[in-house]
Amino acid sequence: MMLNTLLPILLFAALGLAVIGAGKRFLMWRRGRPAKVDWLGGLLAMPRRYLVDLHHVVERDKYMSKTHVATAGGFVLAAGLAILVHGFGLHSRILGYALLGACVLMFVGALFVAKRRLDPPARLSKGPWMRLPKSLLMFAVSFFIATLPVAGILPEGFGGWMLAVLLAVGVAWGVSELFFGMTWGGPMKHAFAGALHLAWHRRSERFGGGRSTGLKALNLDDRTAPLGVEKPRDFTWNQLLGFDACVQCGKCEAVCPAFAAGQPLNPKKLIQDMVVGLAGGTDAKFAGSPYPGQAIGEHSGAPHLPIVNLNGKALVDAETLWSCTTCRACVEECPMMIEHVDAIVDMRRHLTLEKGATPNKGAEVLDNLIATDNPGGFAPGGRLNWAADLNLPLMSEKKSVDVLFWVGDGAFDMRNQRTLRAFVKVLKAANVDFAVLGLEERDSGDVARRLGDEATFQTLAKRNIASMSQYQFNKIVSCDPHSFHVLKNEYGELGGHYQVLHHSTYMDELISADKLNLGQHKGGSVTYHDPCYLGRYNGEYEAPRAVLKAIGIEVREMERSGFRSRCCGGGGGAPITDIPGKQRIPDMRMVDIQETGAELVAVGCPQCTAMLEGVVEPRPQIKDIAELVADVLLEAPAPAKKPVPTKPEALEVH
Amino acid sequence: MLPDNLNIITLVSIGAHPTSGRARRAEQDARAVELGLRLAGDKLQVLHAGNPADEALRAYLGMGLSELTVLEQPSHGDALPLLNSYLKDAGAQLVLTGSQAETGEGSGMLPFLLAEQLGWPLVVGLAEVEKIENGMAQVLQALPRGQRRRLKVRLPFIACVDNAAPTARQSAFGPARRGQLQACEVAVVDDSLLVDAHFQPARPRPKRLKVIKAKTGAERMKAATAKAAGGGGQVLKDVSPQAGAEAIFKLLVEEGMLR
Ligand code: SF4
Ligand code: SF4
């Protein structure tokens, strides 16, 4: 019987090619720099990561998760059984029926894949991806028919040589796409690379519900290590593997604020460009949305060639890298758990540390941070001027307190000073034992780090850690999610381990402990904007809402809120590098806000405040949660002895 | 338009940040380095007289220099004779400096004294070097209000830059760390002025109060942008050199500059 000889040949040839391809691909990834991974443990943990953690993300899109379970589950079963039945000729009826069942499951799944592809949303890639559902169907159908005789449903040799040829062609198509296409760069590559990416992920802490968002430190003492990523092979090898896992679903593209604003960034294209870089070639075959305003096919790269050419074109333009606000929306949505932000910052590091090419105000801000410890270049001695009349306790006097209030660089900004003063009012009303570092505090290093200046970040961080090490405190509280994140998640690697709270979390604690005597918010409806560095970076969505609830505010949620919150445009140094687009990110966010009909938007971040207040009026008012709480503080009525305002001298105003 | 073997040396000093006073690359000196890099690329030589261990010098290296020569001298040394002899021996053709140091005396006299001792021409407020041919340089000199004057100068000469010169490129950590600070041992000459003079904090120069009498926005705009009306001046055009010189001489005598 012809099929009985042909099918094993086809199957094993395809498998053989797949193994060769896998080896080649593996060597491509290994061109990257070494990374410490748990080889065996990772592999063992992989099925769980695939079935639980990855599924958890895919599950947000019910249609796709069901489709994927059916197709992928059906395929894995069918492939395994087909190898047994047709490859090794184990013609048992039970196996035959099982294989038929698997083929049906896969077929149904593939039908839904095909349905999605009828009118695919813009975020999906076309090209070879349009072929994939056909290949899936072909695989399922061919093996279904070829297995019917095994199950005893059709007689052996049914259909004669005509059907046998047809089936052979169908099987050949199916296994080409699904077996060796997997390792030779076809759309199915995502399954192979994805599985290994999950096994040797650079942030294995993310699995099992964990969170890992702090950037990883460069070892500046190692003079031989590259300062960031210049060429694709400067990535660690498991980063390259991660890029290869991309399934081009475009979930990242759909949520990227920079892409929506028409800035030249598309996280999906960026990851695909990295794949081009690791394998070598041009981006001409990319079949998805381009970087806004840039044509496809003009960029190319190779593992050993620089990614960015400052005087021309290479793999990626510098503006693409500088458009990112590091909002992490892409990482949050990515079903393959790819780390876009790490990659972007790695490449920025090279541009800043080696090339001195931080665009626009970047160089000035970094110089200021180096010379004055604040991005604005203000005299460092003025760091506490905002509180000149508040009589703030200083750490240098108190030495030991419960709460260290981390003020942040908002101290130099008149708008943010209102927030800071409001929060001090709350702290005092709750009789909190707190103090500030005063002039011993420096910029947390957040902006420097995200602009790629790891050296300045580490200097600032180490000096801050040294300041704090002189004192005793139980926790740090900050009104700035960026400082909060850096202190909490990024100082640890440099030796600073603290319990850090955002002021909304702390106020929530104070309220729960009945330390605050609060009235009710008067005034119109309110919505709440989740700061990226509080929400996605640190998972704090509840406390701000609880605080607002406690003062009688029912939040009118925006469509994009919580982990789907849209960035205000203020993170990652984006306002400093200021890459032009078609519209501004804060304007888009303000539209989200206005859609709720709220008259006021509660915020919890000085950057968000600044960005949203920068939107032209009329628009809702912007208030920090601390201001809202301070506004409704009920104090024991103070003796009403207001000084009579002295009559101002007549001034001649010209 | 530049000869390949042009020998350009930029002199740099240690700066101080205006608000924090922390040591940094001096703003104008960095612009002089920038100009030098644009003219000579990696053949530019950069020279400092002082302490070769001063980390602030690395900020200049971070602009992409592979090395920086330091004529080693203590802080009370006089840089002038050292620079003078070094420049003579080095065969410099164009020496670039800032206009005024941000630390130390900061008198702004160094380029003048150096030019005097070397007997070279000095161009102040250099904004751009347009071309250098046959031992002559054609340069643009910055004048107030964005005006430029084209000058032809014979090499070698000294030029100092002020804020009209292009902004200095960013200083990057990698090259700053890799670059070499080459210490050069030289005979130290004490600064005789420093021996009996002492430093005291500068008093801020009193600012002239600006009385704005304008009633409307348009008038305010006019007041802000108007040229300072000198009034007394006189424009001489198409006069003979003799007559021009006499007019200048007369003015200098009137103003008490010449007696
Ligand atoms: S972090 Fe935000 S801005 Fe940057 S690529 Fe991802 S979604 Fe876009
Ligand atoms: S990077 Fe992730 S979210 Fe973006 S297209 Fe690839 S798999 Fe999808």
Side-chain angles (χ1 to χ4, degrees):
Chain A
M1 173 65 218
M2 189 176 120
L3 265 188
N4 285 349
T5 36
L6 212 50
L7 285 188
I9 295 175
L10 280 175
L11 272 173
F12 288 119
L15 279 177
L17 282 172
V19 171
I20 296 173
K24 281 187 68 176
R25 210 76 203 171
F26 187 75
L27 291 181
M28 274 188 201
W29 303 326
R30 294 289 291 172
R31 285 174 184 159
R33 288 195 305 124
K36 250 185 91 189
V37 297
D38 180 0
W39 291 97
L40 192 62
L43 277 181
L44 292 177
M46 186 258 283
R48 198 190 141 75
R49 294 175 181 178
Y50 207 100
L51 295 173
V52 180
D53 297 286
L54 183 137
H55 187 73
H56 184 72
V57 182
V58 183
E59 186 67 11
R60 293 173 191 165
D61 181 350
K62 289 275 184 323
Y63 179 101
M64 211 44 228
S65 87
K66 295 212 174 76
T67 306
H68 192 258
V69 167
T71 323
F75 164 65
V76 171
L77 270 179
L81 289 165
I83 291 171
L84 287 182
V85 173
H86 299 292
F88 291 109
L90 289 180
H91 286 191
S92 109
R93 264 197 125 131
I94 304 177
L95 286 182
Y97 270 106
L99 177 51
L100 287 181
C103 288
V104 172
L105 183 63
M106 180 176 171
F107 184 80
V108 173
L111 277 182
F112 282 98
V113 180
K115 186 170 162 240
R116 167 147 301 195
R117 287 277 159 186
L118 282 182
D119 181 19
R123 63 179 169 81
L124 289 179
S125 290
K126 317 295 179 305
W129 294 88
M130 299 306 276
R131 181 186 78 210
L132 183 59
K134 296 180 199 127
S135 309
L136 292 168
L137 290 171
M138 190 56 77
F139 183 96
V141 169
S142 307
F143 274 104
F144 184 84
I145 300 175
T147 310
L148 285 175
V150 179
I153 297 171
L154 285 177
E156 231 11 75
F158 174 83
W161 65 270
M162 277 264 288
L163 184 65
V165 168
L166 274 181
L167 283 182
V169 170
V171 167
W173 176 352
V175 294
S176 313
E177 183 82 277
L178 288 155
F179 285 5
F180 73 87
M182 197 181 265
T183 59
W184 287 84
M188 283 305 291
K189 184 185 65 178
H190 78 271
F192 160 64
L196 297 181
H197 163 59
L198 291 181
W200 302 315
H201 198 280
R202 72 192 242 105
R203 293 178 181 273
S204 54
E205 314 86 272
R206 282 184 69 192
F207 302 109
R211 190 173 290 283
S212 165
T213 54
L215 291 173
K216 297 191 187 262
L218 273 186
N219 180 1
L220 296 177
D221 298 331
D222 178 3
R223 296 274 182 128
T224 58
L227 298 170
V229 166
E230 178 185 20
K231 318 178 252 312
R233 56 190 315 167
D234 293 337
F235 284 111
T236 60
W237 74 270
N238 57 347
Q239 278 179 295
L240 295 179
L241 164 58
F243 303 144
D244 228 9
C246 172
V247 61
Q248 302 200 33
C249 66
K251 294 260 158 88
C252 52
E253 165 185 327
V255 292
C256 176
F259 179 79
Q263 288 169 267
L265 168 64
N266 173 353
K268 169 173 125 176
K269 170 95 174 23
L270 183 78
I271 297 300
Q272 283 310 306
D273 283 348
M274 296 302 113
V275 174
V276 168
L278 87 95
T282 80
D283 67 342
K285 287 203 212 78
F286 178 67
S289 321
Y291 296 128
Q294 288 187 8
I296 280 180
E298 293 175 353
H299 291 78
S300 63
H304 58 281
L305 292 181
I307 294 171
V308 177
N309 176 356
L310 291 170
N311 307 310
K313 284 203 167 88
L315 189 55
V316 172
D317 289 353
E319 291 98 76
T320 296
L321 304 176
W322 295 113
S323 295
C324 175
T325 69
T326 68
C327 72
R328 234 183 135 75
C330 48
V331 184
E332 182 76 38
E333 292 292 340
C334 179
M336 304 306 293
M337 309 195 121
I338 294 170
E339 296 284 345
H340 313 64
V341 177
D342 285 358
I344 290 172
V345 173
D346 277 341
M347 291 184 272
R348 286 183 177 187
R349 282 174 176 171
H350 173 75
L351 292 180
T352 293
L353 294 174
E354 282 293 356
K355 291 273 151 35
T358 325
N360 284 325
K361 291 273 169 224
E364 190 184 321
V365 166
L366 294 175
D367 275 350
N368 285 338
L369 283 169
I370 293 168
T372 64
D373 308 327
N374 67 77
F378 298 105
R383 193 172 271 281
L384 218 47
N385 288 1
W386 64 277
D389 57 337
L390 293 182
N391 220 348
L392 285 190
L394 288 174
M395 281 313 288
S396 54
E397 289 159 5
K398 296 194 68 167
K399 309 285 186 210
S400 164
V401 288
D402 179 26
V403 169
L404 168 61
F405 172 30
W406 185 272
V407 176
D409 289 324
F412 293 101
D413 171 62
M414 289 215 278
R415 169 62 184 91
N416 189 243
Q417 290 168 3
R418 299 215 302 269
T419 305
L420 294 171
R421 296 176 69 91
F423 186 59
V424 168
K425 198 171 152 196
V426 174
L427 287 175
K428 285 187 171 166
N431 282 322
V432 175
D433 173 27
F434 78 100
V436 296
L437 281 169
L439 302 189
E440 290 177 289
E441 184 185 309
R442 277 143 199 127
D443 177 274
S444 65
D446 164 73
V447 162
R449 189 168 229 200
R450 267 139 269 271
L451 286 178
D453 193 345
E454 180 72 4
T456 301
F457 164 75
Q458 290 193 10
T459 314
L460 288 167
K462 284 180 184 152
R463 290 167 66 207
N464 279 323
I465 291 170
S467 299
M468 289 189 282
S469 68
Q470 313 166 62
Y471 309 117
Q472 257 126 39
F473 49 88
N474 295 325
K475 46 183 158 289
I476 303 176
V477 175
S478 178
C479 301
D480 171 17
H482 296 265
S483 306
F484 159 66
H485 165 71
V486 169
L487 286 164
K488 179 169 172 231
N489 302 318
E490 296 188 352
Y491 274 28
E493 226 177 327
L494 302 172
H497 301 273
Y498 314 104
Q499 190 198 345
V500 195
L501 301 178
H502 185 243
H503 68 317
S504 64
T505 315
Y506 190 60
M507 287 192 291
D508 186 32
E509 281 180 11
L510 291 178
I511 292 170
S512 311
D514 252 339
K515 294 263 178 59
L516 286 173
N517 190 7
L518 296 176
Q520 295 287 294
H521 170 76
K522 286 185 264 320
S525 51
V526 178
T527 185
Y528 170 65
H529 165 76
D530 288 276
C532 308
Y533 276 74
L534 182 62
R536 274 187 296 273
Y537 273 82
N538 287 292
E540 183 59 280
Y541 305 108
E542 290 313 315
R545 289 177 168 81
V547 171
L548 293 175
K549 195 160 172 223
I551 57 173
I553 290 174
E554 205 188 306
V555 176
R556 287 203 195 177
E557 291 291 358
M558 284 180 259
E559 194 182 310
R560 284 180 66 169
S561 65
F563 74 87
R564 287 231 157 106
S565 171
R566 194 210 295 262
C567 179
C568 70
I576 297 163
T577 55
D578 199 22
I579 304 300
K582 292 212 175 51
Q583 45 183 337
R584 294 179 63 250
I585 297 174
D587 290 347
M588 299 190 302
R589 188 54 172 163
M590 191 51 80
V591 172
D592 293 350
I593 293 166
Q594 278 163 338
E595 273 168 9
T596 65
E599 290 153 56
L600 189 143
V601 50
V603 291
C605 170
Q607 286 291 339
C608 302
T609 315
M611 296 308 284
L612 295 175
E613 283 201 339
V615 176
V616 287
E617 297 200 73
R619 50 151 171 76
Q621 292 307 298
I622 290 115
K623 276 204 168 181
D624 193 276
I625 299 186
E627 293 181 277
L628 290 170
V629 172
D631 283 349
V632 296
L633 272 180
L634 301 178
E635 283 161 296
K641 219 171 44 183
K642 270 201 190 146
V644 186
T646 46
K647 196 163 167 259
E649 290 169 43
L651 290 173
E652 195 183 346
V653 184
H654 296 295
Chain B
M1 280 303 197
L2 295 168
D4 288 339
N5 50 3
L6 191 65
N7 191 351
I8 302 184
I9 298 184
T10 298
L11 310 182
V12 296
S13 60
I14 307 287
H17 191 275
T19 62
S20 70
R22 217 173 278 169
R24 60 162 191 175
R25 60 175 185 181
E27 163 82 29
Q28 290 177 348
D29 293 354
R31 286 176 192 254
V33 173
E34 174 69 36
L35 211 58
L37 282 171
R38 290 187 188 194
L39 290 171
D42 51 13
K43 287 208 286 295
L44 174 73
Q45 299 178 55
V46 179
L47 185 63
H48 170 72
N51 176 9
D54 203 322
E55 284 298 304
L57 289 173
R58 296 213 164 263
Y60 294 109
L61 292 171
M63 296 172 73
L65 309 168
S66 54
E67 61 170 54
L68 192 157
T69 311
V70 184
L71 308 178
E72 196 166 353
Q73 66 158 17
S75 57
H76 55 80
D78 188 354
L80 200 57
L82 308 187
L83 294 174
N84 183 1
S85 65
Y86 184 94
L87 292 176
K88 252 191 242 159
D89 296 345
Q93 289 166 293
L94 170 54
V95 174
L96 298 167
T97 75
S99 297
Q100 190 178 9
E102 294 170 4
T103 54
E105 280 173 52
S107 63
M109 285 299 286
L110 184 113
F112 293 91
L113 296 172
L114 207 50
E116 186 182 40
Q117 292 190 0
L118 288 164
W120 293 359
L122 169 73
V123 176
V124 296
L126 180 74
E128 196 186 324
V129 176
E130 292 184 315
K131 61 178 176 195
I132 297 181
E133 273 174 346
N134 310 326
M136 292 287 283
Q138 180 177 314
V139 303
L140 289 185
Q141 182 185 37
L143 300 177
R145 291 175 194 282
Q147 298 179 83
R148 296 286 181 270
R149 173 156 53 201
R150 184 164 284 135
L151 299 173
K152 283 211 166 115
V153 199
R154 186 167 309 110
L155 298 178
F157 69 101
I158 298 183
C160 52
V161 306
D162 57 20
N163 292 349
T167 10
R169 67 192 60 184
Q170 187 175 353
S171 173
F173 175 79
R177 189 171 69 167
R178 273 193 303 275
Q180 299 287 328
L181 295 171
Q182 301 285 11
C184 222
E185 271 197 45
V186 283
V188 173
V189 182
D190 270 340
D191 190 335
S192 53
L193 186 65
L194 278 182
V195 173
D196 42 35
H198 66 278
F199 281 101
Q200 67 182 43
R203 251 177 303 144
R205 215 185 279 170
K207 271 212 186 103
R208 188 185 291 253
L209 279 181
K210 217 172 176 184
V211 188
I212 302 174
K213 299 213 184 69
K215 291 271 188 290
T216 68
E219 282 170 10
R220 261 197 297 277
M221 189 66 178
K222 221 194 236 161
T225 54
K227 278 195 189 184
Q234 184 187 356
V235 180
L236 297 177
K237 261 188 187 161
D238 303 327
V239 290
S240 70
Q242 177 74 25
E246 273 169 13
I248 294 171
F249 186 76
K250 191 167 146 252
L251 179 76
L252 292 178
V253 172
E254 271 172 27
E255 294 287 329
M257 306 278 286
L258 290 175
R259 263 172 268 212

